[in-house]
Amino acid sequence: MTHEATALAPPTTSPKTAPAPAPRSPRTRGGGRHGSRWTPWLYLAPALLVLAALLLYPIYQLGLISFLEYTQAQVSGGEPTTFKGLGNYRTLFADAQFWQVLLATVVFAAACVVTTLAVGCALAVLLTRIRALPRLALMLAALGAWATPAVTGSTVWVFLFDPDHGPVNRLLGLGDFSWTYGRFSAFALVLFEVVWCSFPFVMVTVYAGIRAIPSEVLEAASLDGASQWRIWRSVIAPMLRPILIVVTIQSIIWDFKVFTQIYVMTAGGGIAGQNLVLNVYAYQKAFASSQYSLGSAIGVVMLLILLTVTLVYLRLMRRQGEEL
């Protein structure tokens, strides 16, 4: 081979002399993944610290008191605080009134949740079908109900349904009928007020979710001849399922621990305690009877029930393949 041919031949590189790839920097090799994994927690750290201070310590104190003998005698220092273990829970579970109140609380909360979701979702769909001015008026009215304090709203509802001066009885021709005298009518009155101050959250949240659905999907379903109920059941609801999960869990938590509405509208639980729910029952045990340990035990039971319901609900949704 001549010198010129050798010069024109393409250079060859043996495997032994091939340049090695540049070593990855420690940050690229491990630090990047490590940093990306912890970055969200760094952003959440301030909020988590605040929540820990506001929630974890009170929950710890609640659980601690539930295992102690803690009444007015211990609060005043007249007797020493003693450890009872599960004695408060045994006393509580042996009380027939506790089980009656628990059943009433579950039924009442379930009725409130179902009614709130039905009203909120129906009005959310209505908001998508009315003009801008009526939509604005409905939004302002709903947000006004949502922003009203529970004590104020309960007092207004008691006045509206007052047997002597309330306008509702006059419009319905009920005379001097007392809504708070009967057990079921009192629960119904409280349910109306709870739904009135709770449905705006569901309405606004679901309305925002509906507006995020592509209009082409809804138009295609309408052109295929689907009714409004079929569109909601087969198109809108499946696409809004993550949002509906959030509002359902939030409604369960709110309605299960209702206190102000029951206490104000039924004067502390109704005649002979016929309208007691767990929150009011715990208040009576802790402050009216000075049995702070029993009141704390009721609070722990409520916490465990809500945690169980929430975890079971989320687990069922995950089994159905929902991303939460």
Side-chain angles (χ1 to χ4, degrees):
M1 183 179 291
T2 63
H3 178 72
E4 292 79 0
T6 305
L8 295 175
T12 58
T13 304
S14 62
K16 295 183 179 180
T17 61
R24 302 173 66 182
S25 63
R27 182 177 180 180
T28 305
R29 188 167 50 226
R33 291 194 300 270
H34 183 78
S36 63
R37 185 173 67 248
W38 289 104
T39 298
W41 292 104
L42 292 177
Y43 284 111
L44 292 173
L48 292 177
L49 290 176
V50 174
L51 289 176
L54 295 178
L55 294 178
L56 293 183
Y57 182 72
I59 291 175
Y60 163 74
Q61 287 292 337
L62 183 73
L64 178 62
I65 295 175
S66 69
F67 291 107
L68 303 176
E69 177 68 27
Y70 200 71
T71 62
Q72 188 61 39
Q74 283 75 28
V75 173
S76 61
E79 296 181 7
T81 302
T82 57
F83 182 76
K84 291 189 63 176
L86 298 177
N88 291 318
Y89 293 95
R90 284 193 291 266
T91 302
L92 184 65
F93 294 152
D95 187 3
Q97 187 181 18
F98 167 76
W99 296 106
Q100 296 174 1
V101 174
L102 176 60
L103 177 61
T105 304
V106 171
V107 174
F108 175 74
C112 289
V113 170
V114 172
T115 308
T116 301
L117 291 176
V119 173
C121 292
L123 291 178
V125 175
L126 178 63
L127 286 176
T128 63
R129 304 189 176 278
I130 57 179
R131 296 183 179 273
L133 189 59
R135 184 188 307 124
L136 178 62
L138 179 56
M139 292 281 284
L140 291 176
L143 293 177
W146 192 16
T148 303
V151 174
T152 304
S154 301
T155 304
V156 170
W157 276 76
V158 169
F159 168 75
L160 291 175
F161 288 84
D162 185 79
D164 298 322
H165 308 288
V168 174
N169 281 10
R170 296 180 183 179
L171 291 175
L172 298 179
L174 297 177
D176 59 351
F177 174 75
S178 176
W179 289 80
T180 57
Y181 183 80
R183 183 187 186 192
F184 297 106
S185 60
F187 269 129
L189 182 60
V190 178
L191 183 144
F192 295 154
E193 202 280 334
V194 170
V195 172
W196 175 75
C197 67
S198 301
F199 83 85
F201 170 74
V202 179
M203 182 190 73
V204 173
T205 307
V206 174
Y207 172 69
I210 294 176
R211 298 298 295 178
I213 297 177
S215 59
E216 296 81 3
V217 177
L218 302 179
E219 291 176 1
S222 179
L223 291 175
D224 287 340
S227 62
Q228 297 301 322
W229 167 247
R230 184 61 183 273
I231 292 176
W232 165 261
R233 185 172 62 88
S234 302
V235 180
I236 298 178
M239 299 183 72
L240 293 181
R241 191 165 295 173
I243 294 178
L244 293 176
I245 291 172
V246 172
V247 297
T248 300
I249 294 176
Q250 191 70 49
S251 298
I252 291 173
I253 295 173
W254 283 347
D255 296 338
F256 192 83
K257 61 184 186 65
V258 165
F259 174 82
T260 304
Q261 291 88 342
I262 289 286
Y263 193 83
V264 172
M265 300 178 70
T266 64
I271 301 173
Q274 64 181 1
N275 296 114
L276 283 176
V277 292
L278 279 180
N279 236 353
V280 181
Y281 185 59
Y283 175 84
Q284 288 189 352
K285 288 293 184 182
F287 298 101
S289 303
S290 297
Q291 299 177 12
Y292 303 106
S293 52
L294 279 180
S296 299
I298 297 173
V300 172
V301 171
M302 291 181 60
L303 176 63
L304 294 177
I305 291 175
L306 289 176
L307 283 177
T308 303
V309 170
T310 303
L311 293 176
V312 169
Y313 196 79
L314 291 176
R315 187 175 181 84
L316 290 176
M317 292 300 103
R318 281 180 176 270
R319 285 184 177 180
Q320 294 179 7
E322 297 297 331
E323 295 183 0
L324 304 178

